Amino acid sequence: MKQVAITIKIDDDLKKDIQKLAKNMGLSFSAIVENKLRQVRRERRIEFTEELVPNQGFAKQLRNIEQDAKSGSNITGSFNGVDDLMKSLMSDEN
């Protein structure tokens, strides 16, 4: 199997922690990364177990949506079909 070098950017503390962990397990940092990449290829999925943190813009949008939901503003009721939806969208109330 031909091996190639790759360059990735990660948090410095994360790299140091994983290097220490790998050393304690008798592995290289590269072995851990390659193992994870093989798992992704085999399973055809990526599982994020840590909470994903939204960027500032998306976080602001989420806060606005939460505020609207709590105050009942910018909320439109349920619809009985496409005609009801279109009527609501075309009304002056929105």
Side-chain angles (χ1 to χ4, degrees):
M1 166 178 58
K2 180 182 176 185
Q3 293 191 331
V4 296
I6 62 171
T7 302
I8 59 172
K9 293 185 179 199
I10 60 172
D11 179 79
D12 188 50
D13 290 336
L14 174 63
K15 180 184 175 192
K16 288 176 184 174
D17 289 346
I18 297 300
Q19 284 176 320
K20 184 178 178 181
L21 177 67
K23 184 177 180 180
N24 289 338
M25 298 173 83
L27 299 168
S28 67
F29 183 85
S30 294
I32 291 176
V33 172
E34 184 174 358
N35 179 269
K36 187 63 177 176
L37 292 174
R38 287 180 184 279
Q39 178 186 5
V40 169
R41 181 178 68 180
R42 182 178 62 251
E43 297 177 6
R44 299 278 190 241
R45 68 184 182 96
I46 299 171
E47 186 174 326
F48 293 95
T49 55
E50 291 188 27
E51 181 180 348
L52 297 178
V53 179
N55 65 33
Q56 287 181 340
F58 188 60
K60 182 179 178 184
Q61 289 176 338
L62 290 174
R63 285 191 301 273
N64 290 341
I65 291 167
E66 288 174 348
Q67 289 173 353
D68 286 348
K70 287 178 184 175
S71 68
S73 60
N74 294 320
I75 306 288
T76 305
S78 60
F79 305 103
N80 292 322
V82 175
D83 290 337
D84 278 354
L85 169 64
M86 293 307 295
K87 192 182 294 183
S88 175
L89 289 173
M90 301 307 267
S91 73
D92 291 334
E93 295 176 19
N94 295 323

